[in-house]
């Protein structure tokens, strides 16, 4: 499936990226290379390959669940660049 510059611009707009024409062409080439590799993988015959759910026969080693003491509120907020009323203060990210 060929990727054209208009498709790269559409994807960039969805990601809210401003791209110049040189960057559009660079991304178009990179995306096309990725899609070509995926198409190559689609052509592989994997019927004889058993499905796998994990990489290890023994499973994942898990640590035991143990309770730990919580940090004191003053210690946690002491690391914050800005705190007020026992809360972290952060910059506003939602426009009004």
């Amino acid at each position: 499936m060929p990727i054209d510059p208009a498709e790269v611009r559409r994807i960039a707009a969805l990601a809210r990226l401003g791209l110049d024409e040189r960057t559009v062409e660079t991304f178009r080439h990179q995306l096309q290379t990725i899609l070509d590799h995926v198409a190559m993988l689609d052509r592989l015959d994997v019927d004889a390959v058993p499905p796998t759910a994990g990489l290890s026969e023994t499973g994942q080693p898990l640590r035991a669940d143990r309770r730990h003491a919580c940090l004191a509120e003053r210690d946690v907020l002491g690391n914050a660049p800005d705190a007020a009323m026992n809360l972290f203060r952060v910059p506003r990210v939602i426009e009004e």
Side-chain angles (χ1 to χ4, degrees):
M1 175 177 141
I3 296 286
D4 62 356
E7 183 68 9
V8 174
R9 285 189 209 92
R10 187 184 76 77
I11 294 167
L14 290 172
R16 300 192 186 277
L17 297 174
L19 304 179
D20 59 31
E21 287 307 309
R22 183 175 175 193
T23 307
V24 167
E25 181 54 30
T26 299
F27 282 177
R28 188 204 63 75
H29 176 71
Q30 291 174 350
L31 288 170
Q32 188 63 59
T33 301
I34 292 167
L35 290 177
D36 290 344
H37 284 290
V38 170
M40 181 185 66
L41 293 173
D42 278 343
R43 292 190 299 269
L44 291 175
D45 180 17
V46 293
D47 290 336
V49 178
T52 58
L55 300 176
S56 171
E57 295 286 328
T58 61
Q60 290 286 33
L62 301 175
R63 66 172 173 79
D65 288 335
R66 287 179 285 192
R67 292 177 61 164
H68 297 281
C70 295
L71 291 173
E73 197 172 275
R74 70 179 185 286
D75 294 335
V76 173
L77 292 173
N79 291 320
D82 191 8
M85 299 185 331
N86 295 331
L87 301 171
F88 290 101
R89 293 190 61 196
V90 298
R92 178 180 295 243
V93 294
I94 300 175
E95 297 176 11
E96 293 184 38

